[in-house]
């Protein structure tokens, strides 16, 4: 596929480990998704599949963190989330920065006032991000759709630019939020999208403002990465059953092709 990525974006992604795209969704599209999401956030889930894995799975709806709700496995919950898989503005970046990109995980996080900082983390080690022979490759690329404004006090994502190539480790637990050198809030408007190498250190800042901040996360990996082995508790949400995938067009089928090869009956 021909790339439509500007040199400036390649420069910034290489330099920082992340970039923000403006206006990927319209405000009307954000509002339409939010209306569905709010209904899903308000309901209970039986999660009967968890009996089959002896209660070891992650529930669909997670509320353990105060003033925050997380939903896992979005396309299982409603077809409205299908369109964001390989969104046309995002696809060139997936093809450019990930080899044979495969969607591994989808979730939402809504936070309200007094949601806390949880902790710096990265999804893959820095050795999983390379720039060799002119090709930038990350083994895991997260794409974050801002459905509401993400101001600096709204609990926005925070990242350390360049930490995807960091060579010195700090004790992450002893450096919360802005106590970590280089901590930079990633602010943006509803409809913007953040894409970042999961080798980049990141988290969400505390929310001190009124209202709800909601983001959706679509996380892609290199075709050879075994997502099911990565986090067995999350397999149910990683994997979409055939009735979900049958809704997908050719591009979305290709981005979820790994699901043809796994056995997950729960
Ligand atoms: O948006 C946030 O609060 C941060 C989310 C995050 O770091 C994650 O889900 O891994």
């Amino acid at each position: 596929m021909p790339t439509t990525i500007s040199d400036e974006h390649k420069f910034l992604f290489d330099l920082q480990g992340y970039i923000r795209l403006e206006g990927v969704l319209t405000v009307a599209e954000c509002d339409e998704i939010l209306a569905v999401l709010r209904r899903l956030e308000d309901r209970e889930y039986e999660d009967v599949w968890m009996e089959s894995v002896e209660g070891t799975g992650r529930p669909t709806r997670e509320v353990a963190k105060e003033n925050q709700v997380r939903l896992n496995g979005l396309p299982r919950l409603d077809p409205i989330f299908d369109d964001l898989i390989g969104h046309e503005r995002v696809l060139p970046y997936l093809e450019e920065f990930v080899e044979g990109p495969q969607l591994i995980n989808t979730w939402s996080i809504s936070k309200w006032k007094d949601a806390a900082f949880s902790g710096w983390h990265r999804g893959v080690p820095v050795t999983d991000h390379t720039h060799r022979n002119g090709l930038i490759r990350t083994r895991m690329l997260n794409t974050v759709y801002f459905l509401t404004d993400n101001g600096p006090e709204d609990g926005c994502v925070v990242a350390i630019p360049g930490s995807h190539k960091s060579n010195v480790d700090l004790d992450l637990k002893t450096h919360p939020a802005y106590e970590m050198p280089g901590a930079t809030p990633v602010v943006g408007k509803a409809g913007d999208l953040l894409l970042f190498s999961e080798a980049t250190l990141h988290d969400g800042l505390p929310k001190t403002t009124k209202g709800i901040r909601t983001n959706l996360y679509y996380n892609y990996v290199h075709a050879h990465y075994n997502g099911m082995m990565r986090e067995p508790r999350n397999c149910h949400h990683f994997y979409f059953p055939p009735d979900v995938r049958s809704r997908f067009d050719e591009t979305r089928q290709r981005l979820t092709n790994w699901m043809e090869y796994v056995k997950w009956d729960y």
Side-chain angles (χ1 to χ4, degrees):
M1 161 175 293
T3 176
T4 55
I5 303 175
S6 66
D7 287 345
E8 288 76 11
H9 273 180
K10 279 190 199 165
F11 167 81
L12 265 187
F13 185 71
D14 170 64
L15 188 72
Q16 305 185 139
Y18 63 88
I19 43 179
R20 185 175 54 90
L21 310 184
E22 291 181 2
V24 169
L25 299 177
T26 64
V27 170
E29 285 171 325
C30 292
D31 288 346
E32 197 186 344
I33 299 169
L34 279 170
V36 174
L37 190 72
R38 294 287 177 253
R39 281 201 299 278
L40 295 168
E41 286 175 339
D42 284 347
R43 43 162 292 215
E44 300 291 325
Y45 297 84
E46 282 186 67
D47 284 328
V48 283
W49 61 276
M50 279 174 72
E51 288 162 21
S52 317
V53 292
E54 288 151 12
T56 56
R58 285 178 81 150
T60 299
R61 182 172 175 271
E62 294 185 301
V63 289
K65 291 183 183 165
E66 269 186 72
N67 301 309
Q68 174 163 326
V69 57
R70 170 174 167 142
L71 296 182
N72 292 308
L74 301 176
R76 277 183 178 267
L77 306 180
D78 196 281
I80 199 165
F81 300 109
D82 298 0
D83 289 348
L84 304 185
I85 300 171
H87 185 285
E88 60 174 8
R89 284 278 304 280
V90 180
L91 193 58
Y93 295 86
L94 297 176
E95 303 280 8
E96 181 75 20
F97 297 144
V98 188
E99 196 164 342
Q102 294 293 301
L103 180 70
I104 182 187
N105 198 5
T106 53
W107 68 99
S108 64
I109 299 180
S110 292
K111 301 177 176 181
W112 47 96
K113 191 167 179 304
D114 296 332
F117 184 79
S118 51
W120 289 104
H121 60 284
R122 44 164 67 99
V124 290
V126 291
T127 46
D128 279 352
H129 185 101
T130 58
H131 192 168
R132 289 176 52 75
N133 300 322
L135 287 178
I136 301 174
R137 288 279 186 256
T138 180
R139 195 157 286 169
M140 188 179 283
L141 185 80
N142 207 340
T143 62
V144 186
Y145 293 88
F146 299 176
L147 296 186
T148 57
D149 290 351
N150 275 237
E153 297 296 324
D154 293 335
C156 67
V157 175
V158 62
I160 304 186
S163 56
H164 62 310
K165 303 194 242 188
S166 171
N167 293 309
V168 178
D169 292 336
L170 282 179
D171 182 355
L172 301 180
K173 290 194 191 67
T174 58
H175 297 84
Y178 286 118
E179 288 174 39
M180 177 64 94
T184 305
V186 185
V187 298
K189 292 280 176 205
D192 291 354
L193 177 126
L194 163 69
L195 60 90
F196 69 97
S197 165
E198 276 276 1
T200 312
L201 282 170
H202 67 279
D203 199 56
L205 284 171
K207 185 166 188 348
T208 60
T209 53
K210 286 192 283 189
I212 307 176
R213 188 233 64 178
T214 297
N215 291 345
L216 306 182
Y217 305 78
Y218 285 59
N219 205 3
Y220 300 82
V221 292
H222 181 291
H224 298 175
Y225 191 95
N226 188 332
M228 298 300 258
M229 293 291 282
R230 174 193 169 84
E231 198 187 332
R233 291 175 66 230
N234 221 352
C235 287
H236 176 78
H237 310 295
F238 291 168
Y239 174 79
F240 305 148
D243 63 302
V244 171
R245 283 191 73 232
S246 65
R247 301 191 304 245
F248 294 176
D249 65 7
E250 186 273 330
T251 301
R252 291 177 186 113
Q253 292 271 351
R254 178 163 48 81
L255 291 171
T256 55
N257 192 35
W258 67 271
M259 298 178 193
E260 298 281 333
Y261 301 99
V262 299
K263 172 181 169 295
W264 182 259
D265 297 333
Y266 310 119

